[in-house]
Amino acid sequence: GEKVEQHQSTLSVREGDSAVINCTYTDTASSYFPWYKQEAGKSLHFVIDIRSNVDRKQSQRLTVLLDKKAKRFSLHITATQPEDSAIYFCAASPSNTGYQNFYFGKGTSLTVIP
Amino acid sequence: ETAVFQTPNYHVTQVGNEVSFNCKQTLGHDTMYWYKQDSKKLLKIMFSYNNKQLIVNETVPRRFSPQSSDKAHLNLRIKSVEPEDSAVYLCASRTGTGGAETLYFGSGTRLTVL
């Protein structure tokens, strides 16, 4: 089955700097890649996603890049703010399961230092 | 805005007891899930339920069982809890149209087994 690796367990940046979180996946059938944010004591909520028919998607300060050849995708946060501090989870969902299955990375704890 | 509702928020119980957690979604989604998030924040899928079809992660112990009365509800029963069941249990839902659509998570139920 699919295996999603999220290589950084923690990441610290200064307020206003950019943060990049990287993930890799193994299953070539994966074609949907959402990102979720989990703030302290709270549940996961969706922040941005990318489908395999594009290699870049931007939403305000968030950009997701997808490199299908390398089976790698990344979340870029520009002009970071203290409220961006949270655990970020990447996920991959294979099309051959009807997108039923979601495989999550282990999470990256982002700290934005004021 | 919350659309996946979980109760209770917290539950403390003793080894061997039976517990039941409730989940309801008001999004009209066709597929619901239960995930377990451990103390290291690792997310593990336990069950998915779509159109009366239950898909079980084969690593889930048999003391766990999902219960559904309709597509808006998916409850989780644990027959005889053990200390390793202490975790946060997250319910999620997504539309089951077969397309790539994201998961929506509830706020979670934190279980502590003494």
Side-chain angles (χ1 to χ4, degrees), chain A residues 32 34 36 38 42-44 46 49 51 87 89 98-102 104 106, chain B residues 31 33 35 37 41-43 90 94 98-103 105-107:
Chain A
Y32 177 61
Y36 294 86
Q38 186 173 33
K42 297 188 177 179
S43 188
L44 280 76
F46 169 79
D49 60 12
R51 290 169 173 78
I87 301 175
F89 292 91
Y99 302 102
Q100 285 266 70
N101 297 342
F102 285 71
F104 284 85
K106 292 182 179 179
Chain B
T31 306
Y33 302 79
Y35 281 84
Q37 186 172 40
K41 302 296 183 183
L42 292 175
L43 283 161
L90 294 167
R94 66 177 276 274
E101 300 294 338
T102 196
L103 294 171
F105 285 89
S107 57

PDB file of all heavy atoms in Angstrom, chain A residues 32 34 36 38 42-44 46 49 51 87 89 98-102 104 106, chain B residues 31 33 35 37 41-43 90 94 98-103 105-107:
ATOM      1  N   TYR A  32      -4.210  12.542  -5.431  1.00  0.00           N
ATOM      2  CA  TYR A  32      -4.843  13.615  -4.669  1.00  0.00           C
ATOM      3  C   TYR A  32      -4.057  13.797  -3.389  1.00  0.00           C
ATOM      4  O   TYR A  32      -3.808  12.821  -2.666  1.00  0.00           O
ATOM      5  CB  TYR A  32      -6.304  13.276  -4.365  1.00  0.00           C
ATOM      6  CG  TYR A  32      -6.995  14.312  -3.523  1.00  0.00           C
ATOM      7  CD1 TYR A  32      -7.130  15.624  -3.975  1.00  0.00           C
ATOM      8  CD2 TYR A  32      -7.505  13.999  -2.278  1.00  0.00           C
ATOM      9  CE1 TYR A  32      -7.743  16.579  -3.202  1.00  0.00           C
ATOM     10  CE2 TYR A  32      -8.127  14.956  -1.490  1.00  0.00           C
ATOM     11  CZ  TYR A  32      -8.237  16.244  -1.964  1.00  0.00           C
ATOM     12  OH  TYR A  32      -8.851  17.199  -1.196  1.00  0.00           O
ATOM     13  N   PRO A  34      -3.926  16.227  -0.128  1.00  0.00           N
ATOM     14  CA  PRO A  34      -4.376  17.317   0.749  1.00  0.00           C
ATOM     15  C   PRO A  34      -3.402  17.563   1.892  1.00  0.00           C
ATOM     16  O   PRO A  34      -2.622  16.680   2.268  1.00  0.00           O
ATOM     17  CB  PRO A  34      -5.703  16.774   1.287  1.00  0.00           C
ATOM     18  CG  PRO A  34      -5.530  15.297   1.308  1.00  0.00           C
ATOM     19  CD  PRO A  34      -4.564  14.946   0.197  1.00  0.00           C
ATOM     20  N   TYR A  36      -3.352  19.140   5.950  1.00  0.00           N
ATOM     21  CA  TYR A  36      -4.192  19.467   7.090  1.00  0.00           C
ATOM     22  C   TYR A  36      -3.343  20.142   8.161  1.00  0.00           C
ATOM     23  O   TYR A  36      -2.151  19.873   8.288  1.00  0.00           O
ATOM     24  CB  TYR A  36      -4.836  18.195   7.678  1.00  0.00           C
ATOM     25  CG  TYR A  36      -5.803  17.531   6.749  1.00  0.00           C
ATOM     26  CD1 TYR A  36      -5.365  16.620   5.790  1.00  0.00           C
ATOM     27  CD2 TYR A  36      -7.160  17.827   6.793  1.00  0.00           C
ATOM     28  CE1 TYR A  36      -6.243  16.019   4.917  1.00  0.00           C
ATOM     29  CE2 TYR A  36      -8.045  17.231   5.927  1.00  0.00           C
ATOM     30  CZ  TYR A  36      -7.578  16.323   4.987  1.00  0.00           C
ATOM     31  OH  TYR A  36      -8.452  15.739   4.115  1.00  0.00           O
ATOM     32  N   GLN A  38      -3.220  21.043  12.349  1.00  0.00           N
ATOM     33  CA  GLN A  38      -3.763  20.724  13.660  1.00  0.00           C
ATOM     34  C   GLN A  38      -3.133  21.655  14.688  1.00  0.00           C
ATOM     35  O   GLN A  38      -1.954  21.544  14.999  1.00  0.00           O
ATOM     36  CB  GLN A  38      -3.500  19.262  14.040  1.00  0.00           C
ATOM     37  CG  GLN A  38      -4.185  18.847  15.330  1.00  0.00           C
ATOM     38  CD  GLN A  38      -4.067  17.362  15.628  1.00  0.00           C
ATOM     39  OE1 GLN A  38      -3.059  16.730  15.298  1.00  0.00           O
ATOM     40  NE2 GLN A  38      -5.084  16.791  16.254  1.00  0.00           N
ATOM     41  N   LYS A  42      -6.577  20.886  19.264  1.00  0.00           N
ATOM     42  CA  LYS A  42      -7.703  20.898  18.323  1.00  0.00           C
ATOM     43  C   LYS A  42      -7.590  19.761  17.317  1.00  0.00           C
ATOM     44  O   LYS A  42      -6.619  19.012  17.304  1.00  0.00           O
ATOM     45  CB  LYS A  42      -7.760  22.242  17.600  1.00  0.00           C
ATOM     46  CG  LYS A  42      -8.016  23.412  18.531  1.00  0.00           C
ATOM     47  CD  LYS A  42      -8.252  24.693  17.756  1.00  0.00           C
ATOM     48  CE  LYS A  42      -8.571  25.837  18.709  1.00  0.00           C
ATOM     49  NZ  LYS A  42      -8.793  27.110  17.981  1.00  0.00           N
ATOM     50  N   SER A  43      -8.627  19.643  16.508  1.00  0.00           N
ATOM     51  CA  SER A  43      -8.653  18.589  15.504  1.00  0.00           C
ATOM     52  C   SER A  43      -7.992  19.062  14.213  1.00  0.00           C
ATOM     53  O   SER A  43      -7.486  20.183  14.128  1.00  0.00           O
ATOM     54  CB  SER A  43     -10.100  18.170  15.237  1.00  0.00           C
ATOM     55  OG  SER A  43     -10.132  17.030  14.410  1.00  0.00           O
ATOM     56  N   LEU A  44      -8.010  18.206  13.227  1.00  0.00           N
ATOM     57  CA  LEU A  44      -7.399  18.543  11.942  1.00  0.00           C
ATOM     58  C   LEU A  44      -8.383  19.329  11.101  1.00  0.00           C
ATOM     59  O   LEU A  44      -9.575  18.990  11.048  1.00  0.00           O
ATOM     60  CB  LEU A  44      -7.037  17.271  11.173  1.00  0.00           C
ATOM     61  CG  LEU A  44      -5.760  16.543  11.560  1.00  0.00           C
ATOM     62  CD1 LEU A  44      -5.945  15.775  12.843  1.00  0.00           C
ATOM     63  CD2 LEU A  44      -5.310  15.638  10.435  1.00  0.00           C
ATOM     64  N   PHE A  46      -8.662  21.083   7.081  1.00  0.00           N
ATOM     65  CA  PHE A  46      -8.104  21.147   5.733  1.00  0.00           C
ATOM     66  C   PHE A  46      -7.554  22.539   5.450  1.00  0.00           C
ATOM     67  O   PHE A  46      -8.178  23.545   5.801  1.00  0.00           O
ATOM     68  CB  PHE A  46      -9.212  20.797   4.734  1.00  0.00           C
ATOM     69  CG  PHE A  46      -8.882  21.071   3.311  1.00  0.00           C
ATOM     70  CD1 PHE A  46      -8.081  20.194   2.601  1.00  0.00           C
ATOM     71  CD2 PHE A  46      -9.366  22.193   2.682  1.00  0.00           C
ATOM     72  CE1 PHE A  46      -7.776  20.437   1.272  1.00  0.00           C
ATOM     73  CE2 PHE A  46      -9.069  22.455   1.356  1.00  0.00           C
ATOM     74  CZ  PHE A  46      -8.268  21.580   0.642  1.00  0.00           C
ATOM     75  N   ASP A  49      -5.085  21.666  -1.044  1.00  0.00           N
ATOM     76  CA  ASP A  49      -4.842  20.383  -1.684  1.00  0.00           C
ATOM     77  C   ASP A  49      -4.315  20.603  -3.098  1.00  0.00           C
ATOM     78  O   ASP A  49      -4.327  21.718  -3.618  1.00  0.00           O
ATOM     79  CB  ASP A  49      -6.096  19.513  -1.715  1.00  0.00           C
ATOM     80  CG  ASP A  49      -7.260  20.170  -2.472  1.00  0.00           C
ATOM     81  OD1 ASP A  49      -7.060  21.182  -3.169  1.00  0.00           O
ATOM     82  OD2 ASP A  49      -8.395  19.652  -2.348  1.00  0.00           O
ATOM     83  N   ARG A  51      -4.223  18.324  -6.972  1.00  0.00           N
ATOM     84  CA  ARG A  51      -4.519  17.121  -7.735  1.00  0.00           C
ATOM     85  C   ARG A  51      -3.424  16.914  -8.763  1.00  0.00           C
ATOM     86  O   ARG A  51      -2.743  17.864  -9.162  1.00  0.00           O
ATOM     87  CB  ARG A  51      -5.896  17.256  -8.390  1.00  0.00           C
ATOM     88  CG  ARG A  51      -7.024  17.206  -7.365  1.00  0.00           C
ATOM     89  CD  ARG A  51      -8.374  17.603  -7.944  1.00  0.00           C
ATOM     90  NE  ARG A  51      -9.465  17.394  -7.012  1.00  0.00           N
ATOM     91  CZ  ARG A  51      -9.759  18.199  -5.999  1.00  0.00           C
ATOM     92  NH1 ARG A  51      -9.049  19.270  -5.770  1.00  0.00           N
ATOM     93  NH2 ARG A  51     -10.785  17.932  -5.209  1.00  0.00           N
ATOM     94  N   ILE A  87       0.760  21.680  13.890  1.00  0.00           N
ATOM     95  CA  ILE A  87       1.283  20.480  13.237  1.00  0.00           C
ATOM     96  C   ILE A  87       0.622  20.384  11.869  1.00  0.00           C
ATOM     97  O   ILE A  87      -0.613  20.502  11.760  1.00  0.00           O
ATOM     98  CB  ILE A  87       0.982  19.208  14.052  1.00  0.00           C
ATOM     99  CG1 ILE A  87       1.608  19.316  15.442  1.00  0.00           C
ATOM    100  CG2 ILE A  87       1.527  17.973  13.320  1.00  0.00           C
ATOM    101  CD1 ILE A  87       1.255  18.164  16.362  1.00  0.00           C
ATOM    102  N   PHE A  89       0.003  18.074   8.529  1.00  0.00           N
ATOM    103  CA  PHE A  89       0.001  16.701   8.018  1.00  0.00           C
ATOM    104  C   PHE A  89      -0.202  16.720   6.514  1.00  0.00           C
ATOM    105  O   PHE A  89      -1.126  17.372   6.023  1.00  0.00           O
ATOM    106  CB  PHE A  89      -1.138  15.882   8.640  1.00  0.00           C
ATOM    107  CG  PHE A  89      -0.976  15.606  10.110  1.00  0.00           C
ATOM    108  CD1 PHE A  89      -1.503  16.479  11.056  1.00  0.00           C
ATOM    109  CD2 PHE A  89      -0.310  14.472  10.546  1.00  0.00           C
ATOM    110  CE1 PHE A  89      -1.363  16.232  12.411  1.00  0.00           C
ATOM    111  CE2 PHE A  89      -0.168  14.217  11.906  1.00  0.00           C
ATOM    112  CZ  PHE A  89      -0.690  15.100  12.834  1.00  0.00           C
ATOM    113  N   GLY A  98     -10.787   4.727  -5.529  1.00  0.00           N
ATOM    114  CA  GLY A  98     -11.898   5.675  -5.573  1.00  0.00           C
ATOM    115  C   GLY A  98     -11.685   6.817  -4.593  1.00  0.00           C
ATOM    116  O   GLY A  98     -12.642   7.437  -4.140  1.00  0.00           O
ATOM    117  N   TYR A  99     -10.434   7.077  -4.266  1.00  0.00           N
ATOM    118  CA  TYR A  99     -10.063   8.112  -3.293  1.00  0.00           C
ATOM    119  C   TYR A  99     -10.667   7.823  -1.920  1.00  0.00           C
ATOM    120  O   TYR A  99     -10.870   8.728  -1.122  1.00  0.00           O
ATOM    121  CB  TYR A  99     -10.462   9.511  -3.775  1.00  0.00           C
ATOM    122  CG  TYR A  99      -9.853   9.866  -5.105  1.00  0.00           C
ATOM    123  CD1 TYR A  99     -10.604   9.794  -6.265  1.00  0.00           C
ATOM    124  CD2 TYR A  99      -8.519  10.233  -5.190  1.00  0.00           C
ATOM    125  CE1 TYR A  99     -10.039  10.098  -7.493  1.00  0.00           C
ATOM    126  CE2 TYR A  99      -7.947  10.542  -6.418  1.00  0.00           C
ATOM    127  CZ  TYR A  99      -8.714  10.466  -7.562  1.00  0.00           C
ATOM    128  OH  TYR A  99      -8.151  10.769  -8.770  1.00  0.00           O
ATOM    129  N   GLN A 100     -10.957   6.566  -1.627  1.00  0.00           N
ATOM    130  CA  GLN A 100     -11.498   6.191  -0.322  1.00  0.00           C
ATOM    131  C   GLN A 100     -10.434   6.242   0.756  1.00  0.00           C
ATOM    132  O   GLN A 100     -10.712   6.558   1.900  1.00  0.00           O
ATOM    133  CB  GLN A 100     -12.034   4.755  -0.379  1.00  0.00           C
ATOM    134  CG  GLN A 100     -13.332   4.604  -1.101  1.00  0.00           C
ATOM    135  CD  GLN A 100     -14.505   4.659  -0.155  1.00  0.00           C
ATOM    136  OE1 GLN A 100     -14.821   5.709   0.402  1.00  0.00           O
ATOM    137  NE2 GLN A 100     -15.150   3.538   0.057  1.00  0.00           N
ATOM    138  N   ASN A 101      -9.215   5.881   0.372  1.00  0.00           N
ATOM    139  CA  ASN A 101      -8.160   5.740   1.360  1.00  0.00           C
ATOM    140  C   ASN A 101      -7.284   6.978   1.394  1.00  0.00           C
ATOM    141  O   ASN A 101      -6.874   7.486   0.356  1.00  0.00           O
ATOM    142  CB  ASN A 101      -7.293   4.526   1.035  1.00  0.00           C
ATOM    143  CG  ASN A 101      -8.087   3.240   1.095  1.00  0.00           C
ATOM    144  OD1 ASN A 101      -9.168   3.188   1.672  1.00  0.00           O
ATOM    145  ND2 ASN A 101      -7.561   2.196   0.488  1.00  0.00           N
ATOM    146  N   PHE A 102      -6.989   7.421   2.587  1.00  0.00           N
ATOM    147  CA  PHE A 102      -6.081   8.538   2.794  1.00  0.00           C
ATOM    148  C   PHE A 102      -4.925   8.053   3.652  1.00  0.00           C
ATOM    149  O   PHE A 102      -5.137   7.492   4.724  1.00  0.00           O
ATOM    150  CB  PHE A 102      -6.794   9.694   3.512  1.00  0.00           C
ATOM    151  CG  PHE A 102      -7.730  10.466   2.638  1.00  0.00           C
ATOM    152  CD1 PHE A 102      -8.922   9.901   2.212  1.00  0.00           C
ATOM    153  CD2 PHE A 102      -7.431  11.751   2.237  1.00  0.00           C
ATOM    154  CE1 PHE A 102      -9.788  10.607   1.397  1.00  0.00           C
ATOM    155  CE2 PHE A 102      -8.295  12.467   1.422  1.00  0.00           C
ATOM    156  CZ  PHE A 102      -9.477  11.896   0.997  1.00  0.00           C
ATOM    157  N   PHE A 104      -1.608   9.216   5.673  1.00  0.00           N
ATOM    158  CA  PHE A 104      -1.063  10.432   6.266  1.00  0.00           C
ATOM    159  C   PHE A 104       0.411  10.294   6.594  1.00  0.00           C
ATOM    160  O   PHE A 104       0.883   9.204   6.962  1.00  0.00           O
ATOM    161  CB  PHE A 104      -1.811  10.771   7.559  1.00  0.00           C
ATOM    162  CG  PHE A 104      -3.171  11.360   7.335  1.00  0.00           C
ATOM    163  CD1 PHE A 104      -4.277  10.552   7.139  1.00  0.00           C
ATOM    164  CD2 PHE A 104      -3.336  12.737   7.315  1.00  0.00           C
ATOM    165  CE1 PHE A 104      -5.528  11.097   6.918  1.00  0.00           C
ATOM    166  CE2 PHE A 104      -4.590  13.291   7.100  1.00  0.00           C
ATOM    167  CZ  PHE A 104      -5.684  12.482   6.893  1.00  0.00           C
ATOM    168  N   LYS A 106       3.580  11.635   9.172  1.00  0.00           N
ATOM    169  CA  LYS A 106       3.648  11.656  10.628  1.00  0.00           C
ATOM    170  C   LYS A 106       3.476  13.048  11.220  1.00  0.00           C
ATOM    171  O   LYS A 106       3.426  13.197  12.446  1.00  0.00           O
ATOM    172  CB  LYS A 106       4.983  11.078  11.092  1.00  0.00           C
ATOM    173  CG  LYS A 106       5.115   9.591  10.803  1.00  0.00           C
ATOM    174  CD  LYS A 106       6.428   9.042  11.315  1.00  0.00           C
ATOM    175  CE  LYS A 106       6.524   7.546  11.037  1.00  0.00           C
ATOM    176  NZ  LYS A 106       7.787   6.965  11.498  1.00  0.00           N
TER     177      LYS A 106
ATOM    178  N   THR B  31     -19.374   8.845   2.828  1.00  0.00           N
ATOM    179  CA  THR B  31     -18.342   8.010   3.434  1.00  0.00           C
ATOM    180  C   THR B  31     -17.904   8.596   4.760  1.00  0.00           C
ATOM    181  O   THR B  31     -17.658   9.798   4.858  1.00  0.00           O
ATOM    182  CB  THR B  31     -17.113   7.892   2.511  1.00  0.00           C
ATOM    183  OG1 THR B  31     -17.549   7.435   1.223  1.00  0.00           O
ATOM    184  CG2 THR B  31     -16.103   6.903   3.062  1.00  0.00           C
ATOM    185  N   TYR B  33     -15.389   7.830   8.418  1.00  0.00           N
ATOM    186  CA  TYR B  33     -14.166   7.154   8.860  1.00  0.00           C
ATOM    187  C   TYR B  33     -13.983   7.316  10.366  1.00  0.00           C
ATOM    188  O   TYR B  33     -14.440   8.292  10.955  1.00  0.00           O
ATOM    189  CB  TYR B  33     -12.926   7.799   8.210  1.00  0.00           C
ATOM    190  CG  TYR B  33     -12.894   7.824   6.711  1.00  0.00           C
ATOM    191  CD1 TYR B  33     -13.609   8.768   5.998  1.00  0.00           C
ATOM    192  CD2 TYR B  33     -12.102   6.922   6.009  1.00  0.00           C
ATOM    193  CE1 TYR B  33     -13.558   8.813   4.611  1.00  0.00           C
ATOM    194  CE2 TYR B  33     -12.036   6.957   4.620  1.00  0.00           C
ATOM    195  CZ  TYR B  33     -12.773   7.906   3.935  1.00  0.00           C
ATOM    196  OH  TYR B  33     -12.711   7.941   2.556  1.00  0.00           O
ATOM    197  N   TYR B  35     -10.488   7.399  12.726  1.00  0.00           N
ATOM    198  CA  TYR B  35      -9.039   7.389  12.825  1.00  0.00           C
ATOM    199  C   TYR B  35      -8.653   7.384  14.302  1.00  0.00           C
ATOM    200  O   TYR B  35      -9.348   7.951  15.141  1.00  0.00           O
ATOM    201  CB  TYR B  35      -8.428   8.648  12.188  1.00  0.00           C
ATOM    202  CG  TYR B  35      -8.337   8.616  10.694  1.00  0.00           C
ATOM    203  CD1 TYR B  35      -9.414   8.966   9.892  1.00  0.00           C
ATOM    204  CD2 TYR B  35      -7.145   8.244  10.072  1.00  0.00           C
ATOM    205  CE1 TYR B  35      -9.315   8.944   8.516  1.00  0.00           C
ATOM    206  CE2 TYR B  35      -7.039   8.214   8.689  1.00  0.00           C
ATOM    207  CZ  TYR B  35      -8.133   8.569   7.920  1.00  0.00           C
ATOM    208  OH  TYR B  35      -8.038   8.540   6.557  1.00  0.00           O
ATOM    209  N   GLN B  37      -5.570   8.688  16.747  1.00  0.00           N
ATOM    210  CA  GLN B  37      -4.360   9.496  16.825  1.00  0.00           C
ATOM    211  C   GLN B  37      -3.693   9.231  18.168  1.00  0.00           C
ATOM    212  O   GLN B  37      -4.278   9.510  19.217  1.00  0.00           O
ATOM    213  CB  GLN B  37      -4.652  10.986  16.652  1.00  0.00           C
ATOM    214  CG  GLN B  37      -3.380  11.820  16.575  1.00  0.00           C
ATOM    215  CD  GLN B  37      -3.611  13.269  16.224  1.00  0.00           C
ATOM    216  OE1 GLN B  37      -4.562  13.884  16.693  1.00  0.00           O
ATOM    217  NE2 GLN B  37      -2.754  13.826  15.369  1.00  0.00           N
ATOM    218  N   LYS B  41       0.952  11.750  17.910  1.00  0.00           N
ATOM    219  CA  LYS B  41       0.190  12.415  16.839  1.00  0.00           C
ATOM    220  C   LYS B  41       0.093  11.596  15.563  1.00  0.00           C
ATOM    221  O   LYS B  41      -0.385  12.105  14.548  1.00  0.00           O
ATOM    222  CB  LYS B  41       0.763  13.805  16.505  1.00  0.00           C
ATOM    223  CG  LYS B  41       0.811  14.746  17.683  1.00  0.00           C
ATOM    224  CD  LYS B  41      -0.573  15.067  18.205  1.00  0.00           C
ATOM    225  CE  LYS B  41      -0.534  16.070  19.327  1.00  0.00           C
ATOM    226  NZ  LYS B  41      -1.889  16.329  19.892  1.00  0.00           N
ATOM    227  N   LEU B  42       0.525  10.338  15.604  1.00  0.00           N
ATOM    228  CA  LEU B  42       0.392   9.485  14.423  1.00  0.00           C
ATOM    229  C   LEU B  42      -1.065   9.169  14.167  1.00  0.00           C
ATOM    230  O   LEU B  42      -1.810   8.819  15.091  1.00  0.00           O
ATOM    231  CB  LEU B  42       1.177   8.188  14.620  1.00  0.00           C
ATOM    232  CG  LEU B  42       2.692   8.324  14.659  1.00  0.00           C
ATOM    233  CD1 LEU B  42       3.327   6.990  14.979  1.00  0.00           C
ATOM    234  CD2 LEU B  42       3.224   8.865  13.352  1.00  0.00           C
ATOM    235  N   LEU B  43      -1.464   9.257  12.896  1.00  0.00           N
ATOM    236  CA  LEU B  43      -2.854   8.996  12.501  1.00  0.00           C
ATOM    237  C   LEU B  43      -2.938   7.625  11.851  1.00  0.00           C
ATOM    238  O   LEU B  43      -2.223   7.326  10.905  1.00  0.00           O
ATOM    239  CB  LEU B  43      -3.312  10.042  11.492  1.00  0.00           C
ATOM    240  CG  LEU B  43      -3.665  11.399  12.044  1.00  0.00           C
ATOM    241  CD1 LEU B  43      -3.638  12.425  10.941  1.00  0.00           C
ATOM    242  CD2 LEU B  43      -5.032  11.373  12.693  1.00  0.00           C
ATOM    243  N   LEU B  90     -10.686  10.169  16.115  1.00  0.00           N
ATOM    244  CA  LEU B  90     -11.198  11.203  15.214  1.00  0.00           C
ATOM    245  C   LEU B  90     -12.149  10.598  14.188  1.00  0.00           C
ATOM    246  O   LEU B  90     -11.802   9.622  13.520  1.00  0.00           O
ATOM    247  CB  LEU B  90     -10.037  11.883  14.479  1.00  0.00           C
ATOM    248  CG  LEU B  90      -9.080  12.699  15.343  1.00  0.00           C
ATOM    249  CD1 LEU B  90      -7.822  13.035  14.562  1.00  0.00           C
ATOM    250  CD2 LEU B  90      -9.738  13.966  15.840  1.00  0.00           C
ATOM    251  N   ARG B  94     -16.356  12.297   4.074  1.00  0.00           N
ATOM    252  CA  ARG B  94     -16.114  12.900   2.771  1.00  0.00           C
ATOM    253  C   ARG B  94     -17.224  12.460   1.834  1.00  0.00           C
ATOM    254  O   ARG B  94     -17.882  11.430   2.061  1.00  0.00           O
ATOM    255  CB  ARG B  94     -14.751  12.505   2.200  1.00  0.00           C
ATOM    256  CG  ARG B  94     -14.600  11.057   1.867  1.00  0.00           C
ATOM    257  CD  ARG B  94     -13.238  10.790   1.233  1.00  0.00           C
ATOM    258  NE  ARG B  94     -13.258  11.054  -0.185  1.00  0.00           N
ATOM    259  CZ  ARG B  94     -13.640  10.185  -1.114  1.00  0.00           C
ATOM    260  NH1 ARG B  94     -14.067   8.990  -0.769  1.00  0.00           N
ATOM    261  NH2 ARG B  94     -13.594  10.503  -2.391  1.00  0.00           N
ATOM    262  N   GLY B  98     -16.779   9.473  -5.730  1.00  0.00           N
ATOM    263  CA  GLY B  98     -15.731   8.811  -6.505  1.00  0.00           C
ATOM    264  C   GLY B  98     -14.646   9.762  -6.947  1.00  0.00           C
ATOM    265  O   GLY B  98     -13.625   9.343  -7.490  1.00  0.00           O
ATOM    266  N   GLY B  99     -14.864  11.038  -6.719  1.00  0.00           N
ATOM    267  CA  GLY B  99     -13.846  12.023  -7.054  1.00  0.00           C
ATOM    268  C   GLY B  99     -12.926  12.302  -5.890  1.00  0.00           C
ATOM    269  O   GLY B  99     -13.132  11.799  -4.788  1.00  0.00           O
ATOM    270  N   ALA B 100     -11.922  13.113  -6.158  1.00  0.00           N
ATOM    271  CA  ALA B 100     -10.942  13.439  -5.125  1.00  0.00           C
ATOM    272  C   ALA B 100     -11.468  14.597  -4.286  1.00  0.00           C
ATOM    273  O   ALA B 100     -11.384  15.742  -4.671  1.00  0.00           O
ATOM    274  CB  ALA B 100      -9.622  13.819  -5.778  1.00  0.00           C
ATOM    275  N   GLU B 101     -12.029  14.289  -3.155  1.00  0.00           N
ATOM    276  CA  GLU B 101     -12.545  15.299  -2.252  1.00  0.00           C
ATOM    277  C   GLU B 101     -11.977  15.074  -0.865  1.00  0.00           C
ATOM    278  O   GLU B 101     -11.754  13.943  -0.445  1.00  0.00           O
ATOM    279  CB  GLU B 101     -14.082  15.226  -2.180  1.00  0.00           C
ATOM    280  CG  GLU B 101     -14.779  15.443  -3.520  1.00  0.00           C
ATOM    281  CD  GLU B 101     -14.594  16.849  -4.052  1.00  0.00           C
ATOM    282  OE1 GLU B 101     -14.306  17.759  -3.251  1.00  0.00           O
ATOM    283  OE2 GLU B 101     -14.726  17.028  -5.279  1.00  0.00           O
ATOM    284  N   THR B 102     -11.813  16.163  -0.139  1.00  0.00           N
ATOM    285  CA  THR B 102     -11.081  16.066   1.114  1.00  0.00           C
ATOM    286  C   THR B 102     -11.922  15.511   2.248  1.00  0.00           C
ATOM    287  O   THR B 102     -13.150  15.415   2.172  1.00  0.00           O
ATOM    288  CB  THR B 102     -10.511  17.433   1.514  1.00  0.00           C
ATOM    289  OG1 THR B 102      -9.513  17.243   2.518  1.00  0.00           O
ATOM    290  CG2 THR B 102     -11.595  18.379   2.025  1.00  0.00           C
ATOM    291  N   LEU B 103     -11.221  15.167   3.329  1.00  0.00           N
ATOM    292  CA  LEU B 103     -11.860  14.722   4.558  1.00  0.00           C
ATOM    293  C   LEU B 103     -12.199  15.919   5.432  1.00  0.00           C
ATOM    294  O   LEU B 103     -11.440  16.891   5.483  1.00  0.00           O
ATOM    295  CB  LEU B 103     -10.911  13.827   5.358  1.00  0.00           C
ATOM    296  CG  LEU B 103     -10.509  12.488   4.769  1.00  0.00           C
ATOM    297  CD1 LEU B 103      -9.403  11.871   5.605  1.00  0.00           C
ATOM    298  CD2 LEU B 103     -11.696  11.556   4.712  1.00  0.00           C
ATOM    299  N   PHE B 105     -12.945  16.577   9.456  1.00  0.00           N
ATOM    300  CA  PHE B 105     -12.768  15.905  10.742  1.00  0.00           C
ATOM    301  C   PHE B 105     -13.646  16.505  11.825  1.00  0.00           C
ATOM    302  O   PHE B 105     -13.916  17.722  11.834  1.00  0.00           O
ATOM    303  CB  PHE B 105     -11.310  16.004  11.198  1.00  0.00           C
ATOM    304  CG  PHE B 105     -10.375  15.088  10.464  1.00  0.00           C
ATOM    305  CD1 PHE B 105      -9.759  15.493   9.298  1.00  0.00           C
ATOM    306  CD2 PHE B 105     -10.111  13.820  10.955  1.00  0.00           C
ATOM    307  CE1 PHE B 105      -8.895  14.645   8.608  1.00  0.00           C
ATOM    308  CE2 PHE B 105      -9.251  12.960  10.285  1.00  0.00           C
ATOM    309  CZ  PHE B 105      -8.644  13.376   9.108  1.00  0.00           C
ATOM    310  N   GLY B 106     -14.054  15.652  12.762  1.00  0.00           N
ATOM    311  CA  GLY B 106     -14.685  16.107  13.986  1.00  0.00           C
ATOM    312  C   GLY B 106     -13.626  16.571  14.968  1.00  0.00           C
ATOM    313  O   GLY B 106     -12.425  16.495  14.697  1.00  0.00           O
ATOM    314  N   SER B 107     -14.085  17.011  16.130  1.00  0.00           N
ATOM    315  CA  SER B 107     -13.170  17.575  17.127  1.00  0.00           C
ATOM    316  C   SER B 107     -12.458  16.505  17.946  1.00  0.00           C
ATOM    317  O   SER B 107     -11.527  16.814  18.676  1.00  0.00           O
ATOM    318  CB  SER B 107     -13.941  18.514  18.051  1.00  0.00           C
ATOM    319  OG  SER B 107     -15.011  17.811  18.650  1.00  0.00           O
TER     320      SER B 107
END
